Amino acid sequence: MIVIEGCAVATVDADQTEFASGHVAIDGDRIVAVGAGRYPGDGERVDGTGCLATPGLVNTHHHLYQWATRGLAQQENLFGWLTELYPVWTRLDDEVVAATTAAGLGWLALSGCTTSTDHHYVYPAGVGDLMAAQVSAAGEIGLRFHPCRGSMDLGASAGGLPPDEIVEDTDAALAATEEAIDRYHDPSPGAMVRIAVAPCSPFSVTGKLMSESAVLARRRGVRLHTHLAETAEEEEYCLEKFGCTPVEYAERLGWLGDDVWLAHAVHLSPDAISRFGATGTGVAHCPSSNARLGAGVAPVPDLLAAGAPVGLGVDGAASQEGGQLGAELRMALYAARVRGGHDALTARQALSLGTIGGARCLGRDAELGSLEPGKLADVALWRLDDLGHAGIDDPVAALVFGPLATVELLMVGGRPVVERGELRTADERELTRRSVRAHERLLR
């Protein structure tokens, strides 16, 4: 039994319950009590004075391999950025993927993240088992991991954007995706690894791969993920090639539903927003990446009002070099207000996006995303009594409006991953050395 007490607590439960000074009690991998004041039972005590306890953050979209190619294509939009980087990514191998996965997940942990997806869709031939490299690295860091087995089957010679040498045969991609489900997907409660089916995007994937991926995912009971409606250029592409918008194209192929979450969703019509809400289709909102590439701002308040699940995503490290999910709380708040005015989003709504909203996107809101008895003990304890947060009396406002807070303690299933701002499951210096080697291998 571990008891965190003396801290402010933001449970992010359905009633938005908060305690100015409270406790979170953990037994094994589960939360057993949350409340005001001291916990009356026994247990190892963690002094949370000066801190705020929240659910661990949930990252709903990432491309961890991109950690090795940060700082490139600095002035490009999405299509230009991809055109510059795809040739570099053709040199990926299992060593690079292992190093970047560990580095990216370690950095996410230091910013309060306890669960992360990853969307890996670049599979050059003969470079080792990339999914195995990812799952092993995630186990090393200790985060809950939802790798999305991506795929591309529409190369440049067939009118797609990626080079032919990194696209797969359609049937081979589907078979490899099903193999990943067989090997790694754990449907049991408390699972550390779950697989999603994730063809890349409308301009790198055939309609056949999109539609058959949806059939595969539903036959196997796993979730679906892809990029959609990220840029104005994508909308123009879909209108010219398919005679419809990206959302209409996705719906035509069976890609709206409560088992689907889509990255970006920046360019949505009012009808598309309504369809997302009516079908329960989720959105991974990536405000920093969308700003970096000049893609625009997703209509998050409108999606929330329609009832669509919305979570936060860091996105690939080559389009969001900061790589910190905690910082996306403030960015989401600011982006919403740039688009919709001063009252478009509140600090507590931003925290909800990063916690229970992300858990809804991943279909795990019964287990993750709020501090409630019976849920998994994925907890972030943020230090707010430092100079950067001094004088902000509202702890949730301090966390969201203020600078990124130091993570005093991060627990995944009751296991400490970060303590006093330091990663405990891996050597940060070694992660740095490995990631530098990976960068040099790709850019040699």
Side-chain angles (χ1 to χ4, degrees):
M1 180 79 80
I2 298 172
V3 180
I4 304 168
E5 62 186 8
C7 53
V9 180
T11 66
V12 201
D13 65 8
D15 297 323
Q16 292 290 303
T17 306
E18 297 181 13
F19 303 103
S21 180
H23 63 264
V24 180
I26 296 162
D27 190 3
D29 69 345
R30 299 280 170 171
I31 297 169
V32 294
V34 183
R38 287 179 57 84
Y39 177 65
D42 295 329
E44 177 187 343
R45 306 280 166 162
V46 176
D47 183 6
T49 302
C51 297
L52 169 67
T54 73
L57 303 184
V58 178
N59 181 30
T60 59
H61 187 63
H62 211 318
H63 308 292
L64 290 161
Y65 73 90
Q66 292 180 12
W67 191 266
T69 55
R70 295 186 295 166
L72 306 178
Q74 295 175 19
Q75 306 303 126
E76 295 288 352
N77 66 7
L78 176 64
F79 281 14
W81 177 86
L82 286 170
T83 300
E84 182 170 332
L85 286 168
Y86 270 140
V88 181
W89 297 337
T90 63
R91 297 193 286 272
L92 283 174
D93 60 21
D94 54 356
E95 182 179 332
V96 170
V97 168
T100 53
T101 300
L105 291 178
W107 193 240
L108 282 169
L110 290 167
S111 73
C113 176
T114 51
T115 298
S116 184
T117 61
D118 187 60
H119 187 187
H120 191 95
Y121 52 84
V122 179
Y123 287 92
V127 296
D129 190 335
L130 304 189
M131 179 64 77
Q134 287 210 293
V135 172
S136 177
E140 173 189 349
I141 301 302
L143 293 198
R144 218 172 289 281
F145 194 40
H146 282 235
C148 306
R149 208 296 178 177
S151 52
M152 300 188 292
D153 68 341
L154 188 65
S157 65
L161 199 63
D164 288 348
E165 58 264 42
I166 55 172
V167 301
E168 299 174 281
D169 171 78
T170 305
D171 291 337
L174 290 165
T177 302
E178 186 149 25
E179 181 187 9
I181 298 169
D182 289 338
R183 291 176 64 186
Y184 299 115
H185 182 69
D186 181 359
S188 65
M192 290 297 292
V193 179
R194 288 190 180 168
I195 302 295
V197 177
C200 184
S201 67
F203 47 85
S204 59
V205 172
T206 62
K208 178 183 178 182
L209 181 53
M210 287 287 288
S211 59
E212 293 193 12
S213 292
V215 172
L216 168 62
R218 288 169 179 140
R219 175 168 58 82
R220 297 301 305 268
V222 301
R223 300 182 77 77
L224 284 160
H225 183 56
T226 193
H227 301 92
L228 200 77
E230 182 175 0
T231 67
E233 291 85 358
E234 180 187 333
E235 179 142 349
E236 293 167 5
Y237 176 91
C238 287
L239 287 169
E240 179 181 345
K241 191 169 182 65
F242 310 122
C244 60
T245 68
V247 174
E248 290 166 341
Y249 181 60
E251 186 161 28
R252 181 189 300 173
L253 298 174
W255 270 77
L256 296 188
D258 61 5
D259 57 351
V260 179
W261 86 104
L262 303 168
H264 304 299
V266 172
H267 298 273
L268 301 180
S269 68
D271 180 64
I273 293 169
S274 296
R275 292 299 298 145
F276 277 39
T279 58
T281 303
V283 169
H285 176 42
C286 305
S288 289
S289 174
N290 293 155
R292 202 274 206 193
L293 294 173
V297 179
V300 169
D302 295 336
L303 286 162
L304 294 174
V310 182
L312 290 183
V314 167
D315 201 6
S319 68
Q320 208 282 63
E321 282 79 357
Q324 296 177 304
L325 188 57
E328 293 303 288
L329 300 175
R330 173 151 46 104
M331 190 65 182
L333 180 76
Y334 285 4
R337 293 184 179 193
V338 165
R339 180 183 174 111
H342 66 280
D343 58 352
L345 203 71
T346 69
R348 282 162 178 80
Q349 284 177 308
L351 179 58
S352 292
L353 293 177
T355 52
I356 194 66
R360 286 184 68 198
C361 286
L362 301 187
R364 300 197 70 172
D365 47 309
E367 293 186 288
L368 305 173
S370 61
L371 300 180
E372 300 180 73
K375 286 202 168 185
L376 290 165
D378 292 8
V379 182
L381 186 67
W382 309 86
R383 181 149 295 285
L384 298 178
D385 58 357
D386 58 355
L387 179 60
H389 300 88
I392 307 178
D393 293 331
D394 177 349
V396 175
L399 177 65
V400 176
F401 283 97
L404 181 61
T406 297
V407 177
E408 181 70 12
L409 176 66
L410 189 77
M411 305 186 82
V412 179
R415 179 193 181 201
V417 174
V418 175
E419 293 181 289
R420 292 177 291 281
E422 295 185 2
L423 194 63
R424 294 302 184 194
T425 52
D427 183 338
E428 190 175 339
R429 292 168 298 180
E430 178 59 22
L431 295 180
T432 302
R433 284 192 289 269
R434 288 171 58 193
S435 68
V436 169
R437 285 199 302 268
H439 170 76
E440 291 171 347
R441 283 169 63 98
L442 289 188
L443 295 178
R444 62 183 180 272

